Structure formats: C-alpha cells, structure tokens
Amino acid sequence: MTGLRVGHGYDVHRLAQGRPLILGGVTIPWEKGLDGHSDADVLTHAVMDALLGAAGMDDIGRLFPDCDNAFLNISSLTLLERVMKALTEQGWQVVNIDATLVAQAPKIAPYRQEMRCALARTLGIRPEQVNVKATTEEHLGFTGEGLGISAHAVALIQRAEN
C-alpha cells in the first residue's frame, strides 16, 4: 500500500454586508464579506476538508460545529493549525495543496501570493507547495450572480518519514 493519499474539499458561503472578506487567511478590502459562524474563509475551509479527507478523518463540520460558540468568529487559520496538528499526530505530512476560488468578484490575483504564504506558513510547508487560483462562472449560478463564493481544494499527503 502506498504512503500517499489524496483528498478533495469544497466549501461555499453567502456574501453579506458588514462582514470582512477573508480568503486564505488574507483580509481583502471589498464591499461584502462571507457569512458564517467562523470567519467564513471558504478557501481555508476547503483546504481543511481536503486534508481531513485525505487522512480519512472527520470533516470540519464535525470537528468545529457551527452550534459551538467556541468557534464563533474564530480565524480559519487557527482551525487549520488544529487540523494540521491532528494530521501530524496521525503520522501525515502535506505534500501539496491545489485550490481554486470561484467568485465573480472581487479580483483575487493581487492577493494570491499572500494567500499561498499564509496557508503554507500555517501548514509548516513552503509556499511553492500551495497553489491558489481563481475563476469566475461567467455570471452563471449563485457565484456568478455575486451571491456567494465557493472554493475547491485538493490535498496530497504522505506518511511522515521516521
């Protein structure tokens, strides 16, 4: 059996007035933010679920339920640290992350490198091991209509060398 495992993560949040827009741990100046129990960082949430899926562990909804006030407005990077700690305790290390944000607006390109660095720093890996890209849906669907933002992530993990 191989020591490599792959996982996929997906998350979506509705856009709302009066909330900061945080993606990949980076606050992006914009007129709306994402609504959620935590900071609603869809990119980081998708990365966490991809990592947990690869390791065959629970998902973020079970680990950090939205009915628990301990997670109210918590930074998703803090939650990612906890996920990484759990993976490390199970003998896993991250090989790479590939993530895609789906949003009609705002433009993500100016913030991509900062997102890569924030995620990599939290995971204890190099920024080259994290890829973040973005696409629109050409004004189709809820993201295309500007109602929300979604993210997909794929994670490759391997058994840590002893």
Side-chain angles (χ1 to χ4, degrees):
M1 178 183 256
T2 180
L4 295 172
R5 302 276 294 274
V6 66
H8 176 263
Y10 173 78
D11 195 35
V12 60
H13 283 275
R14 179 183 312 274
L15 284 162
Q17 297 289 339
R19 296 267 306 184
L21 179 59
I22 301 169
L23 298 170
V26 176
T27 301
I28 297 173
W30 201 52
E31 63 200 38
K32 295 179 183 176
L34 293 169
D35 192 21
H37 188 70
S38 66
D39 63 6
D41 181 343
V42 293
L43 179 60
T44 303
H45 292 184
V47 168
M48 287 189 286
D49 267 343
L51 290 166
L52 291 165
M57 299 170 72
D58 275 329
D59 59 43
I60 62 172
R62 287 184 185 263
L63 293 176
F64 313 116
D66 62 7
C67 59
D68 188 337
N69 283 338
F71 306 118
L72 182 63
N73 297 320
I74 193 169
S75 165
S76 293
L77 291 182
T78 299
L79 301 179
L80 182 59
E81 285 176 0
R82 295 178 187 181
V83 167
M84 192 61 219
K85 182 177 186 288
L87 264 67
T88 301
E89 288 172 354
Q90 294 293 318
W92 296 106
Q93 62 188 30
V94 177
V95 176
N96 77 300
I97 302 290
D98 183 31
T100 304
L101 281 160
V102 182
Q104 197 62 41
K107 294 293 183 195
I108 302 302
Y111 307 98
R112 285 181 56 233
Q113 187 61 27
E114 191 177 353
M115 290 178 201
R116 291 176 69 196
C117 290
L119 292 168
R121 183 173 44 254
T122 304
L123 293 168
I125 59 177
R126 296 181 319 277
E128 308 84 64
Q129 292 172 266
V130 178
N131 190 42
V132 174
K133 50 200 179 301
T135 189
T136 68
E137 289 193 307
E138 302 298 327
H139 301 282
L140 299 172
F142 71 91
T143 57
E145 293 174 13
L147 299 175
I149 295 177
S150 66
H152 294 266
V154 176
L156 180 63
I157 62 175
Q158 68 183 359
R159 283 286 177 197
E161 295 179 11
N162 295 327

mmCIF file with all atom_site columns, all heavy atoms in Angstrom, residues 73-95:
data_model
loop_
_atom_site.group_PDB
_atom_site.id
_atom_site.type_symbol
_atom_site.label_atom_id
_atom_site.label_alt_id
_atom_site.label_comp_id
_atom_site.label_asym_id
_atom_site.label_entity_id
_atom_site.label_seq_id
_atom_site.pdbx_PDB_ins_code
_atom_site.Cartn_x
_atom_site.Cartn_y
_atom_site.Cartn_z
_atom_site.occupancy
_atom_site.B_iso_or_equiv
_atom_site.pdbx_formal_charge
_atom_site.auth_seq_id
_atom_site.auth_comp_id
_atom_site.auth_asym_id
_atom_site.auth_atom_id
_atom_site.pdbx_PDB_model_num
ATOM 1   N N   . ASN A 1 73 ? -16.699 33.339 15.113 1.00 0.00 ? 73 ASN A N   1
ATOM 2   C CA  . ASN A 1 73 ? -15.770 34.337 14.569 1.00 0.00 ? 73 ASN A CA  1
ATOM 3   C C   . ASN A 1 73 ? -14.300 33.944 14.670 1.00 0.00 ? 73 ASN A C   1
ATOM 4   O O   . ASN A 1 73 ? -13.424 34.796 14.517 1.00 0.00 ? 73 ASN A O   1
ATOM 5   C CB  . ASN A 1 73 ? -15.998 35.716 15.207 1.00 0.00 ? 73 ASN A CB  1
ATOM 6   C CG  . ASN A 1 73 ? -17.373 36.250 14.904 1.00 0.00 ? 73 ASN A CG  1
ATOM 7   O OD1 . ASN A 1 73 ? -17.884 36.105 13.797 1.00 0.00 ? 73 ASN A OD1 1
ATOM 8   N ND2 . ASN A 1 73 ? -18.005 36.855 15.898 1.00 0.00 ? 73 ASN A ND2 1
ATOM 9   N N   . ILE A 1 74 ? -14.010 32.684 14.907 1.00 0.00 ? 74 ILE A N   1
ATOM 10  C CA  . ILE A 1 74 ? -12.630 32.229 15.019 1.00 0.00 ? 74 ILE A CA  1
ATOM 11  C C   . ILE A 1 74 ? -11.944 32.303 13.655 1.00 0.00 ? 74 ILE A C   1
ATOM 12  O O   . ILE A 1 74 ? -12.575 32.124 12.615 1.00 0.00 ? 74 ILE A O   1
ATOM 13  C CB  . ILE A 1 74 ? -12.567 30.797 15.599 1.00 0.00 ? 74 ILE A CB  1
ATOM 14  C CG1 . ILE A 1 74 ? -11.140 30.438 16.025 1.00 0.00 ? 74 ILE A CG1 1
ATOM 15  C CG2 . ILE A 1 74 ? -13.134 29.775 14.608 1.00 0.00 ? 74 ILE A CG2 1
ATOM 16  C CD1 . ILE A 1 74 ? -11.049 29.159 16.850 1.00 0.00 ? 74 ILE A CD1 1
ATOM 17  N N   . SER A 1 75 ? -10.658 32.559 13.672 1.00 0.00 ? 75 SER A N   1
ATOM 18  C CA  . SER A 1 75 ? -9.872  32.567 12.439 1.00 0.00 ? 75 SER A CA  1
ATOM 19  C C   . SER A 1 75 ? -9.782  31.148 11.886 1.00 0.00 ? 75 SER A C   1
ATOM 20  O O   . SER A 1 75 ? -9.464  30.202 12.621 1.00 0.00 ? 75 SER A O   1
ATOM 21  C CB  . SER A 1 75 ? -8.459  33.090 12.713 1.00 0.00 ? 75 SER A CB  1
ATOM 22  O OG  . SER A 1 75 ? -7.607  32.796 11.632 1.00 0.00 ? 75 SER A OG  1
ATOM 23  N N   . SER A 1 76 ? -10.041 31.013 10.614 1.00 0.00 ? 76 SER A N   1
ATOM 24  C CA  . SER A 1 76 ? -9.930  29.690 9.986  1.00 0.00 ? 76 SER A CA  1
ATOM 25  C C   . SER A 1 76 ? -8.492  29.204 9.961  1.00 0.00 ? 76 SER A C   1
ATOM 26  O O   . SER A 1 76 ? -8.254  27.998 9.926  1.00 0.00 ? 76 SER A O   1
ATOM 27  C CB  . SER A 1 76 ? -10.520 29.726 8.580  1.00 0.00 ? 76 SER A CB  1
ATOM 28  O OG  . SER A 1 76 ? -11.922 29.930 8.670  1.00 0.00 ? 76 SER A OG  1
ATOM 29  N N   . LEU A 1 77 ? -7.523  30.115 10.009 1.00 0.00 ? 77 LEU A N   1
ATOM 30  C CA  . LEU A 1 77 ? -6.126  29.679 10.103 1.00 0.00 ? 77 LEU A CA  1
ATOM 31  C C   . LEU A 1 77 ? -5.864  28.998 11.442 1.00 0.00 ? 77 LEU A C   1
ATOM 32  O O   . LEU A 1 77 ? -5.081  28.048 11.516 1.00 0.00 ? 77 LEU A O   1
ATOM 33  C CB  . LEU A 1 77 ? -5.160  30.849 9.888  1.00 0.00 ? 77 LEU A CB  1
ATOM 34  C CG  . LEU A 1 77 ? -5.107  31.433 8.480  1.00 0.00 ? 77 LEU A CG  1
ATOM 35  C CD1 . LEU A 1 77 ? -4.070  32.555 8.411  1.00 0.00 ? 77 LEU A CD1 1
ATOM 36  C CD2 . LEU A 1 77 ? -4.831  30.376 7.423  1.00 0.00 ? 77 LEU A CD2 1
ATOM 37  N N   . THR A 1 78 ? -6.532  29.440 12.493 1.00 0.00 ? 78 THR A N   1
ATOM 38  C CA  . THR A 1 78 ? -6.428  28.770 13.797 1.00 0.00 ? 78 THR A CA  1
ATOM 39  C C   . THR A 1 78 ? -6.986  27.353 13.690 1.00 0.00 ? 78 THR A C   1
ATOM 40  O O   . THR A 1 78 ? -6.399  26.401 14.214 1.00 0.00 ? 78 THR A O   1
ATOM 41  C CB  . THR A 1 78 ? -7.179  29.566 14.878 1.00 0.00 ? 78 THR A CB  1
ATOM 42  O OG1 . THR A 1 78 ? -6.577  30.865 14.995 1.00 0.00 ? 78 THR A OG1 1
ATOM 43  C CG2 . THR A 1 78 ? -7.152  28.857 16.222 1.00 0.00 ? 78 THR A CG2 1
ATOM 44  N N   . LEU A 1 79 ? -8.111  27.215 12.998 1.00 0.00 ? 79 LEU A N   1
ATOM 45  C CA  . LEU A 1 79 ? -8.698  25.882 12.797 1.00 0.00 ? 79 LEU A CA  1
ATOM 46  C C   . LEU A 1 79 ? -7.775  25.015 11.933 1.00 0.00 ? 79 LEU A C   1
ATOM 47  O O   . LEU A 1 79 ? -7.612  23.823 12.196 1.00 0.00 ? 79 LEU A O   1
ATOM 48  C CB  . LEU A 1 79 ? -10.080 25.999 12.165 1.00 0.00 ? 79 LEU A CB  1
ATOM 49  C CG  . LEU A 1 79 ? -11.113 26.800 12.963 1.00 0.00 ? 79 LEU A CG  1
ATOM 50  C CD1 . LEU A 1 79 ? -12.433 26.867 12.207 1.00 0.00 ? 79 LEU A CD1 1
ATOM 51  C CD2 . LEU A 1 79 ? -11.304 26.223 14.356 1.00 0.00 ? 79 LEU A CD2 1
ATOM 52  N N   . LEU A 1 80 ? -7.161  25.618 10.913 1.00 0.00 ? 80 LEU A N   1
ATOM 53  C CA  . LEU A 1 80 ? -6.221  24.881 10.063 1.00 0.00 ? 80 LEU A CA  1
ATOM 54  C C   . LEU A 1 80 ? -5.030  24.385 10.872 1.00 0.00 ? 80 LEU A C   1
ATOM 55  O O   . LEU A 1 80 ? -4.548  23.265 10.656 1.00 0.00 ? 80 LEU A O   1
ATOM 56  C CB  . LEU A 1 80 ? -5.765  25.752 8.891  1.00 0.00 ? 80 LEU A CB  1
ATOM 57  C CG  . LEU A 1 80 ? -4.808  25.111 7.890  1.00 0.00 ? 80 LEU A CG  1
ATOM 58  C CD1 . LEU A 1 80 ? -5.412  23.868 7.240  1.00 0.00 ? 80 LEU A CD1 1
ATOM 59  C CD2 . LEU A 1 80 ? -4.393  26.141 6.828  1.00 0.00 ? 80 LEU A CD2 1
ATOM 60  N N   . GLU A 1 81 ? -4.555  25.180 11.810 1.00 0.00 ? 81 GLU A N   1
ATOM 61  C CA  . GLU A 1 81 ? -3.469  24.743 12.700 1.00 0.00 ? 81 GLU A CA  1
ATOM 62  C C   . GLU A 1 81 ? -3.884  23.483 13.461 1.00 0.00 ? 81 GLU A C   1
ATOM 63  O O   . GLU A 1 81 ? -3.089  22.542 13.612 1.00 0.00 ? 81 GLU A O   1
ATOM 64  C CB  . GLU A 1 81 ? -3.119  25.837 13.715 1.00 0.00 ? 81 GLU A CB  1
ATOM 65  C CG  . GLU A 1 81 ? -2.344  26.988 13.166 1.00 0.00 ? 81 GLU A CG  1
ATOM 66  C CD  . GLU A 1 81 ? -2.122  28.081 14.208 1.00 0.00 ? 81 GLU A CD  1
ATOM 67  O OE1 . GLU A 1 81 ? -2.573  27.941 15.375 1.00 0.00 ? 81 GLU A OE1 1
ATOM 68  O OE2 . GLU A 1 81 ? -1.495  29.099 13.848 1.00 0.00 ? 81 GLU A OE2 1
ATOM 69  N N   . ARG A 1 82 ? -5.119  23.462 13.941 1.00 0.00 ? 82 ARG A N   1
ATOM 70  C CA  . ARG A 1 82 ? -5.623  22.302 14.684 1.00 0.00 ? 82 ARG A CA  1
ATOM 71  C C   . ARG A 1 82 ? -5.735  21.074 13.782 1.00 0.00 ? 82 ARG A C   1
ATOM 72  O O   . ARG A 1 82 ? -5.434  19.957 14.206 1.00 0.00 ? 82 ARG A O   1
ATOM 73  C CB  . ARG A 1 82 ? -6.968  22.627 15.328 1.00 0.00 ? 82 ARG A CB  1
ATOM 74  C CG  . ARG A 1 82 ? -6.859  23.697 16.392 1.00 0.00 ? 82 ARG A CG  1
ATOM 75  C CD  . ARG A 1 82 ? -8.199  24.041 16.991 1.00 0.00 ? 82 ARG A CD  1
ATOM 76  N NE  . ARG A 1 82 ? -8.073  25.190 17.880 1.00 0.00 ? 82 ARG A NE  1
ATOM 77  C CZ  . ARG A 1 82 ? -9.072  25.711 18.563 1.00 0.00 ? 82 ARG A CZ  1
ATOM 78  N NH1 . ARG A 1 82 ? -10.292 25.189 18.461 1.00 0.00 ? 82 ARG A NH1 1
ATOM 79  N NH2 . ARG A 1 82 ? -8.881  26.744 19.339 1.00 0.00 ? 82 ARG A NH2 1
ATOM 80  N N   . VAL A 1 83 ? -6.177  21.277 12.548 1.00 0.00 ? 83 VAL A N   1
ATOM 81  C CA  . VAL A 1 83 ? -6.250  20.173 11.590 1.00 0.00 ? 83 VAL A CA  1
ATOM 82  C C   . VAL A 1 83 ? -4.854  19.632 11.317 1.00 0.00 ? 83 VAL A C   1
ATOM 83  O O   . VAL A 1 83 ? -4.634  18.416 11.318 1.00 0.00 ? 83 VAL A O   1
ATOM 84  C CB  . VAL A 1 83 ? -6.940  20.618 10.278 1.00 0.00 ? 83 VAL A CB  1
ATOM 85  C CG1 . VAL A 1 83 ? -6.741  19.605 9.166  1.00 0.00 ? 83 VAL A CG1 1
ATOM 86  C CG2 . VAL A 1 83 ? -8.428  20.855 10.528 1.00 0.00 ? 83 VAL A CG2 1
ATOM 87  N N   . MET A 1 84 ? -3.902  20.531 11.115 1.00 0.00 ? 84 MET A N   1
ATOM 88  C CA  . MET A 1 84 ? -2.529  20.093 10.832 1.00 0.00 ? 84 MET A CA  1
ATOM 89  C C   . MET A 1 84 ? -1.940  19.342 12.019 1.00 0.00 ? 84 MET A C   1
ATOM 90  O O   . MET A 1 84 ? -1.242  18.336 11.832 1.00 0.00 ? 84 MET A O   1
ATOM 91  C CB  . MET A 1 84 ? -1.670  21.306 10.459 1.00 0.00 ? 84 MET A CB  1
ATOM 92  C CG  . MET A 1 84 ? -0.332  20.952 9.873  1.00 0.00 ? 84 MET A CG  1
ATOM 93  S SD  . MET A 1 84 ? -0.519  20.008 8.351  1.00 0.00 ? 84 MET A SD  1
ATOM 94  C CE  . MET A 1 84 ? 0.822   18.851 8.554  1.00 0.00 ? 84 MET A CE  1
ATOM 95  N N   . LYS A 1 85 ? -2.233  19.788 13.218 1.00 0.00 ? 85 LYS A N   1
ATOM 96  C CA  . LYS A 1 85 ? -1.759  19.089 14.427 1.00 0.00 ? 85 LYS A CA  1
ATOM 97  C C   . LYS A 1 85 ? -2.332  17.672 14.467 1.00 0.00 ? 85 LYS A C   1
ATOM 98  O O   . LYS A 1 85 ? -1.613  16.709 14.750 1.00 0.00 ? 85 LYS A O   1
ATOM 99  C CB  . LYS A 1 85 ? -2.169  19.871 15.676 1.00 0.00 ? 85 LYS A CB  1
ATOM 100 C CG  . LYS A 1 85 ? -1.676  19.263 16.980 1.00 0.00 ? 85 LYS A CG  1
ATOM 101 C CD  . LYS A 1 85 ? -2.066  20.157 18.162 1.00 0.00 ? 85 LYS A CD  1
ATOM 102 C CE  . LYS A 1 85 ? -1.478  19.686 19.457 1.00 0.00 ? 85 LYS A CE  1
ATOM 103 N NZ  . LYS A 1 85 ? -2.061  18.490 19.998 1.00 0.00 ? 85 LYS A NZ  1
ATOM 104 N N   . ALA A 1 86 ? -3.621  17.524 14.157 1.00 0.00 ? 86 ALA A N   1
ATOM 105 C CA  . ALA A 1 86 ? -4.256  16.198 14.157 1.00 0.00 ? 86 ALA A CA  1
ATOM 106 C C   . ALA A 1 86 ? -3.637  15.302 13.089 1.00 0.00 ? 86 ALA A C   1
ATOM 107 O O   . ALA A 1 86 ? -3.403  14.112 13.335 1.00 0.00 ? 86 ALA A O   1
ATOM 108 C CB  . ALA A 1 86 ? -5.757  16.334 13.935 1.00 0.00 ? 86 ALA A CB  1
ATOM 109 N N   . LEU A 1 87 ? -3.359  15.848 11.917 1.00 0.00 ? 87 LEU A N   1
ATOM 110 C CA  . LEU A 1 87 ? -2.724  15.056 10.858 1.00 0.00 ? 87 LEU A CA  1
ATOM 111 C C   . LEU A 1 87 ? -1.328  14.612 11.275 1.00 0.00 ? 87 LEU A C   1
ATOM 112 O O   . LEU A 1 87 ? -0.956  13.453 11.077 1.00 0.00 ? 87 LEU A O   1
ATOM 113 C CB  . LEU A 1 87 ? -2.644  15.853 9.551  1.00 0.00 ? 87 LEU A CB  1
ATOM 114 C CG  . LEU A 1 87 ? -3.765  15.603 8.550  1.00 0.00 ? 87 LEU A CG  1
ATOM 115 C CD1 . LEU A 1 87 ? -5.097  16.095 9.025  1.00 0.00 ? 87 LEU A CD1 1
ATOM 116 C CD2 . LEU A 1 87 ? -3.408  16.187 7.207  1.00 0.00 ? 87 LEU A CD2 1
ATOM 117 N N   . THR A 1 88 ? -0.573  15.530 11.846 1.00 0.00 ? 88 THR A N   1
ATOM 118 C CA  . THR A 1 88 ? 0.784   15.215 12.290 1.00 0.00 ? 88 THR A CA  1
ATOM 119 C C   . THR A 1 88 ? 0.764   14.117 13.350 1.00 0.00 ? 88 THR A C   1
ATOM 120 O O   . THR A 1 88 ? 1.580   13.194 13.315 1.00 0.00 ? 88 THR A O   1
ATOM 121 C CB  . THR A 1 88 ? 1.472   16.482 12.837 1.00 0.00 ? 88 THR A CB  1
ATOM 122 O OG1 . THR A 1 88 ? 1.493   17.473 11.792 1.00 0.00 ? 88 THR A OG1 1
ATOM 123 C CG2 . THR A 1 88 ? 2.891   16.198 13.284 1.00 0.00 ? 88 THR A CG2 1
ATOM 124 N N   . GLU A 1 89 ? -0.195  14.206 14.268 1.00 0.00 ? 89 GLU A N   1
ATOM 125 C CA  . GLU A 1 89 ? -0.318  13.176 15.310 1.00 0.00 ? 89 GLU A CA  1
ATOM 126 C C   . GLU A 1 89 ? -0.647  11.811 14.712 1.00 0.00 ? 89 GLU A C   1
ATOM 127 O O   . GLU A 1 89 ? -0.303  10.783 15.289 1.00 0.00 ? 89 GLU A O   1
ATOM 128 C CB  . GLU A 1 89 ? -1.380  13.583 16.325 1.00 0.00 ? 89 GLU A CB  1
ATOM 129 C CG  . GLU A 1 89 ? -0.945  14.721 17.213 1.00 0.00 ? 89 GLU A CG  1
ATOM 130 C CD  . GLU A 1 89 ? -2.057  15.275 18.094 1.00 0.00 ? 89 GLU A CD  1
ATOM 131 O OE1 . GLU A 1 89 ? -3.239  14.853 17.950 1.00 0.00 ? 89 GLU A OE1 1
ATOM 132 O OE2 . GLU A 1 89 ? -1.751  16.156 18.919 1.00 0.00 ? 89 GLU A OE2 1
ATOM 133 N N   . GLN A 1 90 ? -1.304  11.796 13.550 1.00 0.00 ? 90 GLN A N   1
ATOM 134 C CA  . GLN A 1 90 ? -1.638  10.539 12.867 1.00 0.00 ? 90 GLN A CA  1
ATOM 135 C C   . GLN A 1 90 ? -0.526  10.096 11.909 1.00 0.00 ? 90 GLN A C   1
ATOM 136 O O   . GLN A 1 90 ? -0.679  9.096  11.204 1.00 0.00 ? 90 GLN A O   1
ATOM 137 C CB  . GLN A 1 90 ? -2.949  10.702 12.095 1.00 0.00 ? 90 GLN A CB  1
ATOM 138 C CG  . GLN A 1 90 ? -4.148  10.907 12.980 1.00 0.00 ? 90 GLN A CG  1
ATOM 139 C CD  . GLN A 1 90 ? -4.466  9.677  13.815 1.00 0.00 ? 90 GLN A CD  1
ATOM 140 O OE1 . GLN A 1 90 ? -4.409  8.557  13.341 1.00 0.00 ? 90 GLN A OE1 1
ATOM 141 N NE2 . GLN A 1 90 ? -4.789  9.889  15.077 1.00 0.00 ? 90 GLN A NE2 1
ATOM 142 N N   . GLY A 1 91 ? 0.584   10.850 11.871 1.00 0.00 ? 91 GLY A N   1
ATOM 143 C CA  . GLY A 1 91 ? 1.731   10.465 11.060 1.00 0.00 ? 91 GLY A CA  1
ATOM 144 C C   . GLY A 1 91 ? 1.713   10.954 9.624  1.00 0.00 ? 91 GLY A C   1
ATOM 145 O O   . GLY A 1 91 ? 2.416   10.403 8.771  1.00 0.00 ? 91 GLY A O   1
ATOM 146 N N   . TRP A 1 92 ? 0.935   12.011 9.327  1.00 0.00 ? 92 TRP A N   1
ATOM 147 C CA  . TRP A 1 92 ? 0.843   12.540 7.965  1.00 0.00 ? 92 TRP A CA  1
ATOM 148 C C   . TRP A 1 92 ? 1.595   13.854 7.827  1.00 0.00 ? 92 TRP A C   1
ATOM 149 O O   . TRP A 1 92 ? 1.684   14.621 8.776  1.00 0.00 ? 92 TRP A O   1
ATOM 150 C CB  . TRP A 1 92 ? -0.617  12.770 7.575  1.00 0.00 ? 92 TRP A CB  1
ATOM 151 C CG  . TRP A 1 92 ? -1.437  11.532 7.512  1.00 0.00 ? 92 TRP A CG  1
ATOM 152 C CD1 . TRP A 1 92 ? -2.395  11.121 8.407  1.00 0.00 ? 92 TRP A CD1 1
ATOM 153 C CD2 . TRP A 1 92 ? -1.387  10.517 6.505  1.00 0.00 ? 92 TRP A CD2 1
ATOM 154 N NE1 . TRP A 1 92 ? -2.935  9.932  8.006  1.00 0.00 ? 92 TRP A NE1 1
ATOM 155 C CE2 . TRP A 1 92 ? -2.340  9.534  6.841  1.00 0.00 ? 92 TRP A CE2 1
ATOM 156 C CE3 . TRP A 1 92 ? -0.641  10.349 5.343  1.00 0.00 ? 92 TRP A CE3 1
ATOM 157 C CZ2 . TRP A 1 92 ? -2.557  8.403  6.074  1.00 0.00 ? 92 TRP A CZ2 1
ATOM 158 C CZ3 . TRP A 1 92 ? -0.849  9.217  4.576  1.00 0.00 ? 92 TRP A CZ3 1
ATOM 159 C CH2 . TRP A 1 92 ? -1.805  8.256  4.939  1.00 0.00 ? 92 TRP A CH2 1
ATOM 160 N N   . GLN A 1 93 ? 2.092   14.091 6.630  1.00 0.00 ? 93 GLN A N   1
ATOM 161 C CA  . GLN A 1 93 ? 2.650   15.395 6.289  1.00 0.00 ? 93 GLN A CA  1
ATOM 162 C C   . GLN A 1 93 ? 2.115   15.813 4.923  1.00 0.00 ? 93 GLN A C   1
ATOM 163 O O   . GLN A 1 93 ? 1.761   14.972 4.103  1.00 0.00 ? 93 GLN A O   1
ATOM 164 C CB  . GLN A 1 93 ? 4.170   15.382 6.292  1.00 0.00 ? 93 GLN A CB  1
ATOM 165 C CG  . GLN A 1 93 ? 4.807   14.441 5.294  1.00 0.00 ? 93 GLN A CG  1
ATOM 166 C CD  . GLN A 1 93 ? 6.315   14.332 5.485  1.00 0.00 ? 93 GLN A CD  1
ATOM 167 O OE1 . GLN A 1 93 ? 6.814   14.467 6.599  1.00 0.00 ? 93 GLN A OE1 1
ATOM 168 N NE2 . GLN A 1 93 ? 7.024   14.077 4.399  1.00 0.00 ? 93 GLN A NE2 1
ATOM 169 N N   . VAL A 1 94 ? 2.027   17.116 4.706  1.00 0.00 ? 94 VAL A N   1
ATOM 170 C CA  . VAL A 1 94 ? 1.466   17.655 3.468  1.00 0.00 ? 94 VAL A CA  1
ATOM 171 C C   . VAL A 1 94 ? 2.512   17.651 2.364  1.00 0.00 ? 94 VAL A C   1
ATOM 172 O O   . VAL A 1 94 ? 3.634   18.117 2.564  1.00 0.00 ? 94 VAL A O   1
ATOM 173 C CB  . VAL A 1 94 ? 0.934   19.089 3.685  1.00 0.00 ? 94 VAL A CB  1
ATOM 174 C CG1 . VAL A 1 94 ? 0.408   19.677 2.385  1.00 0.00 ? 94 VAL A CG1 1
ATOM 175 C CG2 . VAL A 1 94 ? -0.145  19.098 4.759  1.00 0.00 ? 94 VAL A CG2 1
ATOM 176 N N   . VAL A 1 95 ? 2.137   17.113 1.210  1.00 0.00 ? 95 VAL A N   1
ATOM 177 C CA  . VAL A 1 95 ? 2.989   17.169 0.021  1.00 0.00 ? 95 VAL A CA  1
ATOM 178 C C   . VAL A 1 95 ? 2.669   18.448 -0.748 1.00 0.00 ? 95 VAL A C   1
ATOM 179 O O   . VAL A 1 95 ? 3.558   19.234 -1.055 1.00 0.00 ? 95 VAL A O   1
ATOM 180 C CB  . VAL A 1 95 ? 2.797   15.930 -0.887 1.00 0.00 ? 95 VAL A CB  1
ATOM 181 C CG1 . VAL A 1 95 ? 3.616   16.059 -2.162 1.00 0.00 ? 95 VAL A CG1 1
ATOM 182 C CG2 . VAL A 1 95 ? 3.140   14.653 -0.128 1.00 0.00 ? 95 VAL A CG2 1
#
